[in-house]
Amino acid sequence: MNILPYIIPPMIAVFIVSTIMSIIYKDKEKKDKGFVLNYYRLTYRRRFIRAVWAVPIVSLIYIAFYWFSDLTSNEYIIIGVFFFSLLLLDVGYNYAKWKRNEKK
């Protein structure tokens, strides 16, 4: 069973919803304290913290893919590199924006 057709459409949907939400909340006030479910209402410091918390979650998702799917070794490598690249980009971007906004 090839699992990739079940992964690609949800990823496209997440990309579209993410783009729409970022446009909606672009000029809204950001929160730095308290619980906020919506990622786009957070400050960059809180986004950075949330991204760091995602490291173990992404690792568990990758392990679940490994255990419960029957992909080739190249597909495992591609998925792993993709997951961790996105995670590192997110952490790095949010850290840089947090430090840049902190100086202002």
Side-chain angles (χ1 to χ4, degrees):
M1 178 174 133
N2 192 358
I3 196 167
L4 289 179
Y6 299 106
I7 296 172
I8 305 275
M11 287 175 59
I12 292 170
V14 165
F15 178 72
I16 291 170
V17 170
S18 175
T19 304
I20 292 170
M21 295 298 281
S22 67
I23 292 169
I24 291 172
Y25 287 103
K26 185 175 185 175
D27 296 325
K28 303 277 181 164
E29 183 180 352
K30 309 295 185 203
K31 285 188 79 175
D32 196 38
K33 300 231 181 231
F35 178 75
V36 177
L37 185 62
N38 189 343
Y39 178 80
Y40 299 100
R41 293 194 57 209
L42 296 174
T43 61
Y44 283 109
R45 184 184 77 84
R46 293 278 304 274
R47 288 182 185 189
F48 171 73
I49 293 168
R50 190 176 280 189
V52 170
W53 271 99
V55 171
I57 295 169
V58 169
S59 300
L60 290 174
I61 290 172
Y62 183 73
I63 290 170
F65 269 129
Y66 185 75
W67 282 342
F68 297 117
S69 67
D70 52 345
L71 301 175
T72 66
S73 61
N74 288 338
E75 289 172 332
Y76 285 128
I77 292 170
I78 291 169
I79 290 173
V81 168
F82 181 73
F83 276 178
F84 289 107
S85 297
L86 283 179
L87 186 64
L88 289 176
L89 283 171
D90 190 37
V91 168
Y93 175 79
N94 287 325
Y95 181 77
K97 291 291 276 189
W98 168 35
K99 291 301 180 181
R100 187 176 306 142
N101 285 342
E102 194 175 75
K103 290 180 182 179
K104 292 182 182 180

